Amino acid sequence: MAFPVPLLNYDFMTTKMTFSGWLALLITQLLSPATAIGDSLVDGFGLIAHWPFDENFSSTVNNSLYQGYPSGSSHVGIGAPENGPAVGKGALRLASGQKSGNRTFVDIRHPLYGLHGYDTLTITAWYRLEDLGHDGMDARNFVWESTPSYSLALGLRAGPDNRRDAEWWFLTRAHTAYSDVDGPIIEPGKWHHAAMVWNRPEGHCRFYHDGILRDEMRLDPGHELEWMTGFHIGNHRAGDGARDWDGWIDDVAAFDVELTPEQIKSIYTKSANGVAVSAANVLQTVPSSGGQKLVSRPPDFSPPKPEWDPTCIQGPFIGHVSDKSAIVWARIPDERNWTLSLHEEADVDTDPILTRTIRPDPSNDFCLRWELAGLEPSTRYFYRIHSGDDCIASGQEYCFETSPDLSQPSSTTLVFASCAGFDDSEVWTRMEQEGAEGLILLGDTPYIDTVELPRVRDAYRRFASIPSLVRLIRSRPFWGTWDDHDFGRNDSDGTLPGKEFTRQGFVEYRPNATHGENGGGVYTRFRHGPVEVFLLDARWFARTESSWADPELPTLLGHRQWQWLRAGLLNSTAPFRILATGMIWDDKENSESDDWGTYMHERLAIEQWIGDNDIPGVILLGGDIHVSRHLKYDDSQQRAGYVLHQFITSPVHDGVIPSLNVDHPALVWSAEESRTFLKIEASDDLEDQVLNASWMRANGETMHQVSIHASELQAMD
């Protein structure tokens, strides 16, 4: 009997198996009969896709949905390896390398979707690792991975001795990963068989290798498999050649029922009771003792269109708002003129204060920005959006309020969030209940992990379709910057090829007042009551030039952004000035380099410049690390003239990374909790200018709170 392997942390994943959990599962397996595995009565279509790769890239079933499209020209093909294919008369040949453009895979352009959607899936395949291009192999090689995210993935990873072991992943809509990245060592030149099982009704996932159950993990109640749009055979989700498969893949199959251990073993041994067995006939030749109930698949059955389908409307949302202006955003895939009328009352029969008409343009994915000027401070306005008799927004919930008059004392409540999945999180609802007057997205909001513009837009459309988020920002402003996963890649910097496409998607879907300068970066700033937020871009310029702080070292902010930040801080009159980035202002102390610790020369130079120029009110803010923290830097007083605080808020989704909650002499408080956000309430009453920061749970409980008076954030005479 195989037992589960505890999960390891990787990138933005969460650890799902503690020792106590492992022990409980071990006891459960010892007390349960082996025949219980995979024997529950579950109905399904059975085999929903099958790529034998004997003659072509077609699926033997449901090919109208699952036809394979090869990428890599002559470096991808059907052939017969030495000693023959695993099954049949051919196999998929992938000779990844420089000549192929490092894009060798087969693209399946519809999701693997069964009778009950993604509730139950079994994916099986044969694979054989071999450097057919004779030019070396990537550090990681994927047999398959879904798109646009790693809902289900199987690959290999090279270790320190260059031996490769198998790794598998399931990702939920709440961004929780079930995985084992410490799998069996793979022997190059030899056929191996793998099977992955996701069974939400039964509450488990399983991984088989060479016919043997290797891992089993219990699923948290309510966890659903992340949506898919497609499937890559021989590459990871990005399909960019970074993690190509080198060698052969054969007889890939997908089922919408859980295969039993006996069925998976029979596929591996290729026989049962004297009969030849493969994925094509296993359900018929090795019947389940529990009775897998197979139903006929209607000819017109296909995966449903998601709410973020390109034909659907997203928004309207409120973008940047000032004391005298506002931006209303929507995506309307309809090339008629659309008019926004602004009213002082919800009654649309009243005469509008102003109207603006725009025609959607497919070149910017039909995204519209109605820019409204000449408004009054601290005033509530109602808006209506229509084209002729067709109206997409009207009523009391479609409104916004301009920010307070800068010449008068005021208060504000802003909420900050980072690292959010696509699930309908209660965090967004809680923000509304806490009286948020504006939302700031710090990055990894959402996870995109590609520079291909169609997929970038698809991710933004999906994020803009989350019901609770929609309710939040259709009546209050939101602003955003990005971190690595919405910039393009994990731990990526400004040298990333294709970053102009992720910037295009960001500009289309984030209605900030500005997006950097001269077509570069996405940095912006806004004032809301006593708080001015400087949303910095810590990706676009990183490592693209020498540092303005030390020409011998690489830059993070870049010269242009640093000039913009200096001018903004010098001109600001806000009692509180928040410098916010996606990454944290310290060293994460892991193998990655995307943190201010890597560019400490620029952080220290900023602190020194603050002190030299008597800039009051500065607070540092970051996200990224899937841990919430509050740090207070006593040593910064020597440079900035006062003690600086850093607020870290992460994540909105379920994934926590305890290993990034590292010790630090400035650490005041930390929490390794999911579904969190930061609420900042500030008042500039002339007698008591104060900022209250509260780290909140989705249920409304406060984890930690700190109050900082403006007088604490200025140099002492």
Side-chain angles (χ1 to χ4, degrees):
M1 179 176 289
F3 302 116
V5 177
L7 286 179
L8 303 179
N9 284 321
Y10 171 70
D11 184 16
F12 47 93
M13 314 306 176
T14 178
T15 300
K16 289 301 303 169
M17 184 68 68
T18 62
F19 176 77
S20 59
W22 184 92
L23 183 60
L25 181 54
L26 172 60
I27 294 172
T28 300
Q29 289 194 355
L30 289 173
L31 296 178
S32 301
T35 55
I37 300 178
D39 281 351
S40 58
L41 181 62
V42 178
D43 59 336
F45 298 135
L47 184 66
I48 59 174
H50 177 223
W51 299 274
F53 296 122
D54 285 339
E55 298 177 350
N56 52 41
F57 306 99
S58 300
S59 171
T60 61
V61 293
N62 307 320
N63 191 54
S64 61
L65 289 174
Y66 300 124
Q67 168 68 45
Y69 298 90
S71 175
S73 62
S74 62
H75 300 275
V76 177
I78 307 299
E82 185 180 351
N83 300 324
V87 177
K89 58 184 181 181
L92 175 63
R93 183 181 187 274
L94 298 162
S96 172
Q98 295 298 320
K99 293 181 180 179
S100 67
N102 285 316
R103 290 173 62 93
T104 51
F105 65 100
V106 175
D107 185 16
I108 311 302
R109 297 175 182 174
H110 288 90
L112 303 177
Y113 195 88
L115 177 62
H116 299 291
Y118 305 131
D119 272 5
T120 306
L121 288 173
T122 301
I123 317 297
T124 72
W126 289 90
Y127 67 89
R128 172 172 160 173
L129 183 67
E130 190 173 347
D131 184 10
L132 298 178
H134 305 291
D135 56 357
M137 294 185 284
D138 295 330
R140 298 175 70 190
N141 320 94
F142 275 74
V143 181
W144 68 65
E145 189 166 60
S146 57
T147 64
S149 195
Y150 56 102
S151 308
L152 46 92
L154 173 68
L156 306 183
R157 182 194 301 266
D161 55 1
N162 208 35
R163 295 197 304 170
R164 295 174 189 256
D165 57 10
E167 57 177 357
W168 59 267
W169 306 91
F170 287 110
L171 181 71
T172 72
R173 296 184 192 178
H175 214 76
T176 298
Y178 296 86
S179 174
D180 180 8
V181 298
D182 188 22
I185 300 298
I186 301 307
E187 182 180 342
K190 177 182 177 182
W191 283 108
H192 293 278
H193 186 265
M196 291 175 59
V197 173
W198 174 270
N199 192 327
R200 190 182 71 84
E202 294 297 312
H204 61 243
C205 61
R206 293 176 172 131
F207 174 66
Y208 296 78
H209 196 264
D210 287 345
I212 298 173
L213 175 63
R214 180 175 176 86
D215 299 309
E216 179 177 14
M217 295 182 185
R218 301 301 302 175
L219 306 180
D220 286 349
H223 274 182
E224 298 180 78
L225 198 63
E226 171 72 306
W227 275 82
M228 293 179 270
T229 59
F231 188 67
H232 286 170
I233 300 174
N235 209 319
H236 72 142
R237 57 191 180 274
D240 58 2
R243 299 170 184 176
D244 283 342
W245 183 259
D246 280 275
W248 305 86
I249 297 175
D250 201 5
D251 211 41
V252 181
F255 305 81
D256 68 344
V257 295
E258 177 172 357
L259 297 191
T260 67
E262 292 78 11
Q263 289 170 332
I264 292 172
K265 182 75 171 181
S266 297
I267 294 176
Y268 173 65
T269 60
K270 306 180 187 179
S271 67
N273 301 317
V275 178
V277 177
S278 69
N281 67 357
V282 66
L283 293 176
Q284 292 72 38
T285 55
V286 188
S288 165
S289 59
Q292 291 152 330
K293 182 181 177 183
L294 303 184
V295 299
S296 297
R297 184 180 184 277
D300 59 349
F301 182 87
S302 63
K305 289 184 177 181
E307 293 178 352
W308 61 93
D309 183 82
T311 62
C312 298
I313 293 172
Q314 281 77 39
F317 302 142
I318 306 302
H320 171 76
V321 166
S322 73
D323 57 334
K324 298 178 181 179
S325 66
I327 298 172
V328 179
W329 177 96
R331 178 186 177 275
I332 307 176
D334 182 333
E335 294 183 62
R336 293 181 291 167
N337 287 329
W338 288 85
T339 298
L340 181 145
S341 58
L342 198 64
H343 304 258
E344 291 182 330
E345 300 177 9
D347 184 359
V348 298
D349 292 331
T350 61
D351 291 335
I353 299 168
L354 58 82
T355 60
R356 296 285 187 272
T357 299
I358 312 176
R359 182 186 295 271
D361 186 342
S363 68
N364 66 355
D365 204 27
F366 304 99
C367 294
L368 304 175
R369 285 169 57 112
W370 290 274
E371 299 190 3
L372 314 175
L375 308 182
E376 295 296 323
S378 299
T379 301
R380 181 173 294 273
Y381 294 95
F382 299 86
Y383 61 94
R384 180 175 185 264
I385 300 173
H386 64 95
S387 180
D389 294 333
D390 295 331
C391 182
I392 68 163
S394 181
Q396 296 217 2
E397 66 269 32
Y398 296 99
C399 63
F400 63 87
E401 185 171 326
T402 49
S403 60
D405 188 333
L406 299 183
S407 65
Q408 300 295 323
S410 62
S411 61
T412 189
T413 299
L414 300 173
V415 290
F416 296 76
S418 72
C419 308
F422 296 104
D423 62 316
D424 192 15
S425 173
E426 63 271 26
V427 170
W428 310 120
T429 302
R430 174 54 58 184
M431 290 175 173
E432 186 175 11
Q433 294 168 345
E434 290 294 320
E437 297 172 37
L439 166 66
I440 298 90
L441 300 174
L442 297 171
D444 294 346
T445 47
Y447 289 80
I448 299 176
D449 291 302
T450 183
V451 296
E452 295 182 2
L453 185 57
R455 294 179 56 201
V456 170
R457 288 169 166 170
D458 185 78
Y460 277 122
R461 284 195 298 268
R462 184 177 181 189
F463 196 71
S465 302
I466 299 172
S468 54
L469 178 61
V470 169
R471 290 191 297 270
L472 177 68
I473 59 178
R474 70 185 174 198
S475 60
R476 50 184 57 76
F478 83 104
W479 297 266
T481 186
W482 56 19
D483 201 32
D484 51 346
H485 294 286
D486 36 5
F487 176 67
R489 293 281 188 278
N490 179 55
D491 197 22
S492 52
D493 55 36
T495 64
L496 178 69
K499 65 180 183 179
E500 64 274 15
F501 300 115
T502 54
R503 184 180 184 276
Q504 181 176 343
F506 185 97
V507 170
E508 291 169 349
Y509 282 83
R510 291 291 174 263
N512 295 340
T514 58
H515 301 90
E517 299 169 282
N518 302 322
V522 299
Y523 52 87
T524 192
R525 56 186 275 217
F526 69 90
R527 174 81 181 266
H528 205 276
V531 175
E532 185 156 13
V533 177
F534 295 81
L535 281 170
L536 304 182
D537 181 345
R539 299 290 169 178
W540 184 270
F541 302 99
R543 297 188 182 277
T544 61
E545 57 186 359
S546 60
S547 174
W548 48 268
D550 185 341
E552 299 299 318
L553 296 172
T555 190
L556 177 63
L557 295 183
H559 291 258
R560 186 191 309 169
Q561 184 173 194
W562 170 232
Q563 293 172 0
W564 168 86
L565 178 60
R566 286 188 304 173
L569 287 171
L570 286 169
N571 292 330
S572 177
T573 60
F576 302 101
R577 309 171 196 193
I578 296 175
L579 306 187
T581 69
M583 63 177 58
I584 65 169
W585 292 78
D586 296 303
D587 187 347
K588 289 194 292 188
E589 299 187 24
N590 67 355
S591 60
E592 298 173 345
S593 61
D594 58 338
D595 51 44
W596 279 84
T598 303
Y599 306 90
M600 189 55 70
H601 50 287
E602 293 200 357
R603 175 184 158 178
L604 295 179
I606 291 173
E607 292 183 10
Q608 189 64 54
W609 182 87
I610 289 171
D612 293 344
N613 291 273
D614 294 324
I615 304 296
V618 173
I619 293 172
L620 310 178
L621 201 152
D624 180 50
I625 61 172
H626 300 200
V627 176
S628 295
R629 288 159 69 90
H630 172 208
L631 299 99
K632 183 178 179 182
Y633 303 94
D634 293 332
D635 64 338
S636 65
Q637 187 164 0
Q638 303 170 13
R639 295 176 295 276
Y642 52 90
V643 175
L644 291 174
H645 293 254
Q646 179 184 190
F647 303 155
I648 300 173
T649 178
S650 177
V652 171
H653 60 53
D654 277 353
V656 178
I657 307 181
S659 63
L660 295 184
N661 191 20
V662 298
D663 290 333
H664 194 287
L667 184 63
V668 175
W669 166 88
S670 65
E672 299 164 9
E673 294 200 32
S674 62
R675 297 187 178 266
T676 61
F677 65 97
L678 177 69
K679 180 175 72 171
I680 287 183
E681 302 165 291
S683 170
D684 68 347
D685 186 307
L686 296 180
E687 295 182 359
D688 189 21
Q689 296 177 319
V690 63
L691 180 146
N692 295 310
S694 303
W695 284 258
M696 307 287 297
R697 297 187 179 99
N699 63 6
E701 295 176 352
T702 299
M703 298 183 290
H704 176 65
Q705 191 172 57
V706 60
S707 295
I708 304 174
H709 294 265
S711 58
E712 301 175 53
L713 301 177
Q714 55 188 13
M716 302 298 293
D717 294 333

